[in-house]
């Protein structure tokens, strides 16, 4: 694998050197949202981090397939379970010409822990950084952490001198007390592209960094990004040839793109899993006609729900064939995925009815379902389909579909987990199962800060215990066995009802070749303008 | 005159205060901004701290009081999403909206008035009937659909005009203009037509109705009896007398052009205030929303006041009451 990468890099390098000086190639694209800040520590959001990943870099990088490859660190080794030695790359310069050194790494880490940072969680995975020399550091972790490198990807290294000179030594805060942070509207990284003009929400222009340390596939010299909120406008701009790439494209527009000349829909599975959750913590559901007890505490009811939902029908009718039904809470791209357990619960409405009768609800019951209507691909339609499927087995579901800001405000911890039955989607930011185990499958615990997105409080002490062990086990085989055991336990208990991995949906002009990463990130390193 | 102005001013202040109150209380129901400001891994403790620092935990009257005091000084706080002062954002966006509204108003007048005159004079002509029918379409089709259809036809099928954005703009200190570049002017065409269409038909119908009215009056009949040429009667006597209500309506409509640009701006990704507002709603960026609503209310109040004063100056009967 390593060798193949090396060969490919060498081949690419040879190709670039052989080619005459490339002429200016501009790549124009649009996304539905905007690049709210240029400060890589201001918001932990896929789009922001994905965009800034072209300007800034971590010690390690993702390749086009979410594999971890060396970035600003050339190599690393674990010298003790909690100590990692990183050899930093020499001769790398920031866009302003400053040298990249160990001091910048230490500075960045400390900055990630400042008040306004949204990267505190990643920052807290590091206990101390010891500087051996300008290009060698030892990172100490609070506990053995087998996936430290995954956390380092999004700790984008910033230039210490630059930040100090511009009074940007603290992360841009979401509150008003951190005025005019320079890093919010300016950037200085080591990446293959640099910002030449940034008007938040209107247009951002990038230019190729001619001094980039690595040979990359891309022949693009200039990139223009425009946020376009309206899907119809995005698609029109692509078909009219004004843009080279737009995303996301509504699933229902795929046919239109395929019929239009010079553009195509690019659809791949996203690493995001969409699932249903049920309140199994309270003694009485907040939103149901059953009083005095909680039907979801009975495994038969959860089982009945699982067998009442027809994932294939959702795939066919709602997702236009573009989703991948799932039996697991993580996608195949995520480290720790267990193919054996990925078979969804079988669709069997008869069994479902029988189970409800056994549980004491022969005529079903009523429950309210919370659903976002602008967060995931066709989220509201999925919920409507679930409602009608459950109606067939006698369960009457009142659907409460709301915009994401209202929805999240209600169902998340801030709203006191105010839900009985909900739809949610999750991509582990580390691309590792551990994140799902501790955020979604562990019992809610405000003190140890785990299970805080386990909105229905599925709780099994055995899972909690194993999750802790997974967090510090460095032997991959043992670790994966424990992950598998946890998923098996949750699956047997019908703790969650996974639905599918949703599709990524990009519209791409034939003028360019791009690589669609499963976390919906667009890496300019792999954008090639076709000749 | 002074008491008249004073009364108007007092009314304006009451209106502004009411708008601010409504705008502010409305935001209590748009959702929690915190979830849009942090990522999924942010801990509960950090979320709570953020709420506290943003003052979201203060009682509502306190929040409103702070808002009014700051707003009166032109300070609308900082955008939750962009971390820059809201007034900077609004002022940066204002040229785009004002240019669009200005071009649309000109279009509406330059096309609307002649068409109105024509349809009034040739009431039973085929062309008039056609124009009247088309104007119904203009009044009844929502601008969203008109915009999409224009994009589809001129942008996607014919590929003559850009489908989104403002093209190249040239910056003069704090004003960015799209009037001076070819791509800027081309980009203006579709959005301004979309925005102007409704006003155009409105003005046309108004002019037509007024013209029909005036053409029936004695002084027009008398002018004809004097043997004046038609052109002179129609334009010098009749049209002039229809223009008073037209000017009033146009003035008031300028406010709605600015306010209703929201839809046109979001269809064409026109980087104006309306688009800023729409995105702020999605992000629950309360300071932007509040500032925008107050701003638009201010425009309306200002325009209304100017129109009132104009009336006072133009119509001798109002002045007569004073004496």
């Amino acid at each position: 694998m390593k060798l193949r990468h090396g060969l490919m890099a060498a081949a690419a390098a040879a190709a670039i050197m052989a080619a005459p000086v490339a002429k200016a190639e501009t790549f124009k694209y649009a996304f539905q949202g905007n690049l709210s800040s240029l400060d890589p520590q201001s918001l932990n959001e896929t789009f922001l981090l994905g965009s800034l990943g072209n300007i800034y870099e971590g010690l390690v990088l993702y390749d086009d397939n979410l594999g971890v490859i060396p970035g600003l660190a050339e190599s690393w080794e674990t010298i003790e379970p909690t100590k990692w030695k990183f050899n930093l790359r020499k001769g790398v310069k920031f866009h302003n010409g400053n040298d990249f050194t160990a001091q910048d790494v230490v500075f960045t880490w400390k900055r990630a822990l400042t008040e306004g940072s949204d990267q505190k969680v990643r920052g807290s995975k590091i206990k101390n950084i010891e500087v051996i020399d300008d290009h060698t550091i030892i990172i100490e972790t609070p506990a053995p952490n087998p996936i430290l490198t995954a956390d380092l990807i999004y700790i984008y290294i910033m230039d210490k001198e630059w930040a100090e000179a511009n009074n940007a030594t603290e992360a841009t805060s979401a509150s008003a007390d951190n005025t005019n942070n320079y890093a919010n509207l300016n950037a200085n990284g080591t990446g293959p592209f640099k910002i030449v003009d940034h008007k938040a929400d209107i247009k951002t222009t990038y230019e190729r960094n001619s001094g980039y340390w690595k040979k990359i596939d891309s022949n693009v010299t200039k990139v223009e990004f425009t946020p376009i909120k309206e899907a119809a406008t995005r698609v029109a701009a692509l078909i009219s040839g004004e843009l080279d790439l737009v995303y996301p494209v509504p699933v229902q527009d795929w046919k239109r793109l395929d019929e239009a000349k010079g553009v195509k829909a690019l659809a791949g599975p996203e690493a995001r899993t969409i699932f249903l959750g049920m309140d199994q913590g309270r003694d009485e559901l907040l939103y149901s006609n059953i009083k005095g007890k909680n039907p979801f505490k009975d495994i038969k009811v959860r089982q009945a729900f699982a067998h009442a939902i027809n994932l294939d029908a959702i795939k066919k009718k709602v997702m236009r064939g573009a989703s991948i039904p799932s039996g697991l809470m993580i996608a195949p791209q995520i480290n720790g995925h267990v193919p054996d357990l990925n078979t969804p619960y079988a669709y069997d409405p008869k069994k479902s009815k029988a189970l409800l009768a056994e549980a004491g609800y022969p005529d079903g019951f009523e429950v309210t379902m919370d659903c976002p209507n602008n967060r995931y691909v066709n989220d509201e339609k999925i919920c409507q389909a679930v409602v009608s499927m459950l109606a067939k087995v006698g369960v009457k579901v009142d659907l409460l579909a709301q915009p994401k800001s209202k929805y999240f405000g209600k169902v998340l911890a801030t709203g006191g987990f105010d839900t009985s039955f909900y739809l949610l989607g999750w991509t582990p930011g580390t691309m590792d199962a551990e994140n799902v185990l501790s955020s979604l499958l562990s019992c809610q615990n405000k003190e140890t800060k785990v299970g805080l997105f386990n909105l229905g409080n599925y709780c099994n002490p055995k899972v909690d215990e194993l999750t802790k062990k997974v967090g510090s086990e460095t032997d991959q085989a043992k670790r994966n066995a424990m992950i598998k055991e946890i998923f098996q336990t949750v699956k047997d208990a019908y703790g969650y009802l996974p639905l599918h991995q949703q599709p990524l949906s990009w519209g791409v002009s034939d003028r360019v070749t791009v690589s669609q990463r499963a976390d919906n990130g667009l890496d300019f390193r792999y954008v090639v303008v076709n000749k | 005159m002074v008491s008249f102005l004073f009364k108007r001013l007092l009314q304006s202040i009451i209106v502004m205060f009411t708008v601010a109150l409504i705008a502010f209380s409305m935001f209590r129901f748009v959702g929690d901004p915190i979830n849009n400001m942090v990522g999924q891994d942010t801990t509960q403790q950090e979320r709570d701290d953020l709420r506290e620092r943003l003052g979201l935990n203060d009682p509502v009257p306190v929040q409103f009081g702070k808002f009014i005091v700051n707003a009166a000084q032109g300070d609308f706080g900082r955008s939750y999403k962009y971390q820059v002062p809201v007034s900077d954002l609004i002022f940066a966006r204002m040229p785009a909206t004002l240019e669009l509204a200005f071009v649309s108003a000109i279009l509406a007048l330059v096309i609307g008035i002649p068409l109105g005159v024509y349809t009034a004079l040739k009431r039973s002509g085929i062309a008039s009937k056609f124009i009247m029918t088309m104007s119904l379409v203009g009044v009844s089709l929502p601008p969203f659909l008109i915009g999409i259809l224009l994009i589809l036809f001129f942008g996607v099928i014919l590929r003559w005009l850009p489908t989104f954005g403002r093209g190249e703009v040239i910056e003069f200190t704090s004003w960015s203009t799209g009037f001076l570049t070819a791509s800027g002017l081309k980009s203006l065409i579709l959005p301004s037509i979309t925005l102007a269409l409704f006003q155009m038909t409105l003005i046309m119908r108004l002019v037509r109705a007024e013209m029909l009215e005036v053409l029936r009056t004695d002084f027009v009949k008398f002018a004809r009896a004097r043997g004046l040429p038609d052109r002179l009667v129609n334009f010098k006597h009749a049209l002039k007398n229809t223009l008073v209500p037209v000017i009033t309506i146009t003035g008031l409509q300028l406010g709605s052009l600015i306010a209703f640009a929201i839809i046109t701006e979001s269809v064409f990704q026109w980087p104006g205030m309306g688009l800023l507002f729409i995105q702020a709603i999605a992000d629950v960026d309360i300071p932007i929303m509040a500032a925008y609503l107050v701003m638009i209310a201010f425009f309306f109040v200002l325009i209304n006041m100017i129109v009132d004063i104009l009336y006072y100056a133009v119509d001798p009967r109002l002045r007569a009451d004073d004496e």
Side-chain angles (χ1 to χ4, degrees):
Chain A
M1 195 59 195
K2 265 271 146 64
L3 181 68
R4 213 197 64 190
H5 263 298
L7 279 177
M8 268 166 56
I16 286 169
M17 276 181 250
V21 183
K23 64 176 171 54
E25 298 285 5
T26 306
F27 169 64
K28 297 178 184 174
Y29 77 107
F31 179 65
Q32 66 178 357
N34 39 43
L35 188 55
S36 56
S37 172
L38 293 182
D39 189 330
Q41 295 170 343
S42 65
L43 179 65
N44 183 17
E45 177 207 45
T46 317
F47 179 71
L48 183 120
L49 293 174
S51 301
L52 296 185
N54 297 300
I55 308 166
Y56 286 104
E57 293 172 301
L59 294 181
V60 289
L61 301 173
Y62 276 138
D63 65 10
D64 54 340
N65 206 18
L66 290 176
V68 173
I69 54 171
L72 290 179
E74 266 174 345
S75 61
W76 53 87
E77 58 183 320
T78 327
I79 46 180
E80 276 171 46
T82 58
K83 283 192 177 170
W84 296 56
K85 183 177 166 203
F86 286 84
N87 299 309
L88 306 183
R89 202 171 290 280
K90 289 174 187 143
V92 174
K93 284 188 188 301
F94 285 97
H95 296 156
N96 66 353
N98 287 357
D99 286 321
F100 158 69
T101 66
Q103 292 305 329
D104 298 316
V105 181
V106 176
F107 165 76
T108 301
W109 165 61
K110 287 194 173 145
R111 190 177 187 275
L113 294 172
T114 55
E115 191 64 46
S117 166
D118 201 25
Q119 293 292 352
K120 284 187 207 133
V121 173
R122 289 202 173 92
S124 68
K125 301 282 171 78
I126 297 173
K127 191 174 158 197
N128 188 32
I129 299 181
E130 190 186 335
V131 177
I132 305 294
D133 60 47
D134 262 4
H135 296 96
T136 319
I137 54 169
I138 291 180
I139 292 183
E140 194 184 337
T141 58
N145 180 2
I147 52 157
L148 176 68
T149 49
D151 286 313
L152 294 178
I153 287 170
Y154 287 135
I155 299 186
Y156 288 145
I157 305 300
M158 302 174 77
D159 181 16
K160 185 175 183 228
E161 288 81 20
W162 176 79
E164 280 169 354
N166 294 301
N167 198 15
T169 52
E170 287 191 18
T172 302
S173 156
S175 69
D177 48 18
N178 188 359
T179 44
N180 294 324
N181 196 318
Y182 189 76
N184 185 30
L185 298 170
N186 298 278
N188 178 39
T190 56
F193 286 84
K194 49 190 172 187
I195 294 272
V196 284
D197 185 40
H198 173 65
K199 288 193 190 65
D201 211 12
I202 299 179
K203 196 172 174 186
T204 305
T205 312
Y206 303 76
E207 222 166 60
R208 184 73 168 258
N209 168 15
S210 54
Y212 188 51
W213 54 269
K214 189 179 173 183
K215 296 288 176 204
I216 51 176
D217 299 351
S218 177
N219 60 354
V220 172
T221 50
K222 192 176 164 198
V223 177
E224 282 179 25
F225 163 68
T226 321
I228 301 185
K229 191 177 165 57
E230 290 295 330
T233 310
R234 268 200 309 279
V235 173
L238 175 74
I239 298 180
S240 70
E242 283 167 88
L243 295 177
D244 302 317
L245 174 102
V246 299
Y247 73 110
V249 169
V251 178
Q252 46 275 15
D253 275 347
W254 286 0
K255 222 178 124 212
R256 206 179 136 206
L257 285 190
D258 288 337
E259 281 165 3
K261 243 195 236 153
V263 293
K264 60 179 176 294
L266 188 62
E270 187 179 352
R272 185 184 300 281
T273 304
I274 307 293
F275 57 87
L276 303 177
M278 300 152 285
D279 179 5
Q280 299 152 57
R282 293 186 178 84
D283 289 327
E284 181 183 297
L285 288 181
L286 295 172
Y287 304 100
S288 169
N289 63 344
I290 305 291
K291 297 296 166 198
K293 60 176 174 174
N294 177 351
F296 287 131
K297 279 194 183 250
D298 187 343
I299 185 172
K300 288 197 182 106
V301 173
R302 303 200 296 269
Q303 224 173 331
F305 270 53
H307 293 304
I309 295 164
N310 186 346
L311 296 189
D312 286 326
I314 292 179
K315 175 181 174 176
K316 223 176 275 165
K317 301 287 183 220
V318 181
M319 307 302 290
R320 315 250 166 166
S323 65
I324 301 176
S326 174
L328 259 185
M329 293 294 286
I330 53 169
Q333 298 90 345
I334 309 296
N335 182 32
H337 185 259
V338 192
D340 310 349
L341 293 176
N342 203 22
T343 323
Y345 298 120
Y347 175 55
D348 190 349
K350 267 188 199 150
K351 188 173 170 191
S352 174
K353 266 192 153 164
L355 282 162
L356 278 175
E358 267 179 60
Y361 308 100
D363 302 318
F365 59 94
E366 287 177 28
V367 65
T368 300
M369 179 182 194
D370 287 293
C371 186
N373 63 12
N374 61 354
R375 178 65 190 88
Y376 311 111
V377 180
N378 287 345
D379 40 13
E380 188 177 2
K381 287 183 187 144
I382 299 171
C383 290
Q384 285 164 348
V386 167
V387 169
S388 69
M389 287 165 187
L390 286 170
K392 279 183 193 156
V393 299
V395 179
K396 188 177 173 288
V397 182
D398 287 321
L399 181 59
L400 180 59
Q402 312 187 79
K404 59 183 176 187
S405 44
K406 292 289 284 176
Y407 167 79
F408 285 123
K410 180 171 187 279
V411 303
L412 293 190
T414 36
F417 306 111
D418 184 19
T419 182
S420 296
F421 183 41
Y422 62 93
L423 174 134
L424 193 69
W426 194 266
T427 311
T430 52
M431 293 293 146
D432 185 275
E434 196 273 337
N435 172 288
V436 169
L437 305 184
S438 60
S439 299
L440 300 179
L441 304 183
S442 300
C443 309
Q444 282 171 12
N445 188 334
K446 289 203 171 162
E447 270 144 44
T448 56
K449 291 173 184 158
V450 294
L452 289 181
F453 293 89
N454 181 0
L455 313 182
N457 203 10
Y458 162 80
C459 189
N460 182 344
K462 190 180 131 198
V463 168
D464 276 30
E465 207 172 295
L466 275 170
T467 300
K468 261 181 227 145
K469 283 190 193 156
V470 167
S472 59
E473 179 58 64
T474 45
D475 182 331
Q476 278 302 325
K478 273 193 206 161
R479 190 168 184 271
N480 282 341
M482 286 191 286
I483 292 174
K484 185 176 175 181
E485 195 183 338
I486 293 174
F487 280 130
Q488 184 76 57
T489 313
V490 176
K491 188 160 192 180
D492 292 346
Y494 292 80
Y496 277 98
L497 310 178
L499 295 178
H500 56 239
Q501 271 87 48
Q502 67 179 23
L504 292 173
S505 180
W506 297 11
V508 187
S509 157
D510 291 344
R511 202 174 86 88
V512 294
T513 308
V514 298
S515 151
Q516 190 177 33
R517 226 165 59 187
D519 66 348
N520 215 9
L522 173 64
D523 193 338
F524 301 163
R525 292 172 184 81
Y526 300 96
V527 176
V528 179
V529 175
N530 302 323
K531 294 284 152 75
Chain B
M1 178 75 188
V2 177
S3 76
F4 171 83
L5 261 184
F6 184 73
K7 258 195 271 175
R8 278 279 175 270
L9 205 65
L10 201 69
Q11 282 173 358
S12 305
I13 290 173
I14 294 172
V15 168
M16 289 301 294
F17 187 80
T18 316
V19 168
L21 184 64
I22 293 173
F24 191 80
S25 54
M26 203 176 74
F27 302 142
R28 307 293 301 172
F29 304 104
V30 290
D32 186 354
I34 301 292
N35 288 307
N36 291 291
M37 294 160 68
V38 297
Q40 68 180 21
D41 294 330
T42 308
T43 63
Q44 191 56 45
Q45 180 63 39
E46 285 164 30
R47 285 167 198 250
D48 293 343
D49 288 351
L50 193 55
R51 287 188 73 79
E52 188 62 46
R53 270 186 288 140
L54 289 173
L56 291 170
N57 288 335
D58 293 345
V60 178
V62 174
Q63 289 190 38
F64 182 61
K66 276 187 196 161
F67 173 73
I68 289 285
V69 169
N70 291 334
Q73 302 162 15
D75 174 10
F76 290 97
R78 298 168 76 84
S79 153
Y80 291 163
K81 181 148 179 124
Y82 300 109
Q83 314 303 332
V84 289
V86 169
S87 42
D88 289 4
L89 278 173
I90 297 231
F91 284 120
R93 299 307 196 82
M94 205 183 282
T97 300
L98 292 185
E99 283 188 358
L100 179 62
F102 175 72
V103 171
S104 300
I106 299 281
L107 265 184
L109 283 175
V110 168
I111 301 177
I113 294 179
L115 283 185
V117 173
Y118 180 82
T119 48
L121 294 179
K122 310 254 156 123
R123 257 193 312 172
S124 46
I126 294 178
S128 289
K129 289 208 166 121
F130 177 74
I131 293 169
M132 288 306 288
T133 316
M134 289 312 288
S135 78
L136 262 186
V137 175
V139 171
S140 51
L141 274 190
F144 180 81
L145 190 66
I146 294 172
I148 292 283
L149 289 177
L150 287 176
I151 288 178
L152 192 67
F153 192 68
F154 292 103
V156 176
I157 298 176
L158 295 176
R159 299 201 179 189
W160 288 350
L161 297 168
T163 58
F164 76 96
R166 236 186 134 190
E168 297 271 326
V169 290
I170 293 175
E171 313 253 351
F172 294 104
T173 54
S174 62
W175 188 276
S176 65
T177 179
F179 286 158
L180 299 176
T181 62
S183 73
L185 289 172
K186 265 169 112 182
S187 303
L188 251 171
I189 299 174
L190 294 185
S192 56
I193 291 178
T194 308
L195 188 57
L197 207 57
F198 180 81
Q199 317 293 343
M200 198 190 293
T201 46
L202 186 77
I203 289 174
M204 178 194 129
R205 289 178 157 256
L206 187 73
V207 169
R208 179 177 179 271
E210 290 288 329
M211 275 293 275
L212 290 177
E213 191 105 326
V214 175
L215 285 175
R216 275 198 296 270
T217 52
D218 289 342
F219 80 90
V220 172
K221 282 183 190 153
F222 185 68
R224 284 197 206 286
R226 275 164 64 202
L228 291 176
D230 273 358
R231 191 172 49 83
L232 218 60
V233 176
N234 291 338
F235 291 95
K236 189 125 192 233
H237 290 82
L239 181 62
K240 237 185 176 178
N241 279 287
T242 62
L243 281 185
V244 180
V246 172
I247 288 168
T248 318
I249 292 289
T250 312
L252 292 179
Q253 288 295 322
L254 192 65
S256 21
L257 272 179
I258 296 170
F260 294 140
I262 291 180
I263 298 166
T264 309
E265 285 184 6
S266 54
V267 172
F268 289 94
Q269 193 66 29
W270 189 262
M273 295 188 290
L275 190 66
L276 184 72
F277 177 65
I278 280 282
Q279 275 165 351
I281 291 178
D283 301 330
V284 199
D285 202 332
I286 296 173
I288 293 185
M289 291 194 280
Y292 178 80
L293 286 184
V294 172
M295 202 65 188
I296 291 295
F298 180 72
F299 270 124
F300 268 95
V301 166
L302 192 72
I303 291 170
N304 260 311
M305 247 177 82
I306 293 173
V307 168
D308 279 346
I309 294 169
L310 277 182
Y311 264 168
Y312 196 88
V314 168
D315 196 332
R317 281 169 298 183
L318 273 176
R319 265 174 306 187
D321 287 348
D322 270 2
E323 281 138 27

